[in-house]
Amino acid sequence: MSRNLALRILVAALFIPAILWIGYAGGWWLYAMLLVFLTVGLGEYLIREGYRLDRPVFWLTEATAVAVYSVVALPRLGVEGLGEFVIYRWHVAAAELLAAFFLVSGMLFTLGRRPPAELFTRHCRLCWGLAYLSITWPIVFLVGSGVAGQHGGDSLLFLFGLLWVGDTAAMAVGKGLGRHKLSPAVSPNKTVEGFIGGIAGAAAIGVVMYFWKFEGLGLGHALAAAVGASVCGQLGDLVESMWKRSVGVKDSSAIIPGHGGVLDRFDSLLFAAPFLLLYFTLIR
């Protein structure tokens, strides 16, 4: 066993139980954990995009992301004083924060000294990164808070299980049977066969979770949720790969020993969670 593989296994053995425990604990524990993932992941994105920690735009972007996340999460933690508009119209409040950032940052970028084309591109990429992370992490919190009568911890276990098992199945099938490239320009090693293997692994978790936690959901819905989340998660992984290739890096950072960065570990989750939230809401 290589040293890097041993390190990956050790880190996973330590962090996976902690993440699942916090998922079931919910409440402020879940809020704090996801807030850390959001701020660190956004920091990775900003640093890779060339924004230094001593620049105001770095902290303006982080503050906006925290504000968007908080207006979604805090009312569900019983925090008072946020007003009915935020509590019952959180999606509007979040959209207005993002719109305010877009307008303010756009005006600030016009004062830059770089060529207009570069300023415009940098502003677009900055807004994309903020929207990507400040929209998806609050959705993960909503899933972990419980939706459609499902326990939040069970829903997160479902998500993590189908993504982790699906990822392992995709790698095994891709290495053993992979012949057709899925996205050669973005991720040359991923294959159509591996993609299908990932879906099969996720479907297996759907069956297990149906008999273990989701009997009231129905086997058909458990399978559909698992397959849909797997498809979105695997394609979401390619979205992050597309961004990393655009800035010429392999990993978003090296903050997690043997695993890369926060964005590297949770890219699939950030695209699978919105699907699961929407699906569970529609069938409720």
Side-chain angles (χ1 to χ4, degrees):
M1 181 183 296
S2 68
R3 181 179 179 181
N4 185 62
L5 179 58
L7 183 60
R8 287 173 62 89
I9 295 174
L10 175 61
V11 171
L14 292 174
F15 278 91
I16 289 176
I19 290 172
L20 294 179
W21 182 89
I22 291 174
Y24 273 95
W28 288 100
W29 283 98
L30 181 63
Y31 172 83
M33 179 180 73
L34 298 185
L35 181 62
V36 170
F37 291 157
L38 165 61
T39 53
V40 173
L42 182 56
E44 292 173 346
Y45 181 88
L46 293 172
I47 289 172
R48 290 303 193 187
E49 287 289 330
Y51 296 98
R52 302 200 307 265
L53 274 67
D54 61 349
R55 295 295 184 181
V57 68
F58 184 98
W59 297 107
L60 175 63
T61 308
E62 288 277 14
T64 303
V66 171
V68 172
Y69 173 68
S70 296
V71 299
V72 176
L74 292 182
R76 286 152 184 78
L77 297 174
V79 176
E80 299 180 356
L82 293 179
E84 291 186 0
F85 179 76
V86 172
I87 294 175
Y88 298 107
R89 302 284 300 280
W90 57 266
H91 52 292
V92 177
E96 288 190 340
L97 285 168
L98 291 174
F101 176 88
F102 173 78
L103 295 173
V104 171
S105 61
M107 289 185 287
L108 292 176
F109 267 77
T110 64
L111 305 177
R113 298 182 178 180
R114 302 187 182 191
E118 183 178 349
L119 291 172
F120 182 77
T121 299
R122 285 178 61 80
H123 183 241
C124 290
R125 294 175 68 95
L126 178 65
C127 291
W128 185 90
L130 174 65
Y132 165 40
L133 297 172
S134 64
I135 291 174
T136 51
W137 278 115
I139 291 177
V140 176
F141 179 86
L142 292 177
V143 172
S145 298
V147 62
Q150 305 299 328
H151 189 280
D154 291 342
S155 296
L156 287 179
L157 176 63
F158 181 52
L159 264 180
F160 284 124
L162 69 90
L163 292 174
W164 289 335
V165 172
D167 183 59
T168 301
M171 290 180 60
V173 173
K175 288 183 178 179
L177 303 175
R179 297 294 183 273
H180 303 87
K181 299 297 183 182
L182 177 64
S183 179
V186 173
S187 186
N189 293 326
K190 292 187 182 297
T191 63
V192 174
E193 292 81 1
F195 183 78
I196 295 173
I199 294 174
I205 293 299
V207 174
V208 171
M209 288 297 293
Y210 163 71
F211 287 107
W212 185 23
K213 298 285 187 179
F214 290 158
E215 288 188 4
L217 193 64
L219 180 59
H221 284 311
L223 281 171
V227 169
S230 175
V231 170
C232 292
Q234 291 189 75
L235 294 179
D237 178 85
L238 289 175
V239 172
E240 202 237 351
S241 295
M242 179 171 62
W243 165 69
K244 286 189 295 186
R245 285 192 174 274
S246 75
V247 293
V249 298
K250 182 179 182 296
D251 296 321
S252 60
S253 78
I255 195 171
I256 306 175
H259 289 266
V262 169
L263 291 180
D264 299 314
R265 291 304 91 205
F266 297 107
D267 47 5
S268 298
L269 173 69
L270 296 180
F271 280 80
F275 172 85
L276 193 67
L277 178 67
L278 177 62
Y279 190 85
F280 278 0
T281 300
L282 291 176
I283 66 172
R284 178 167 54 183

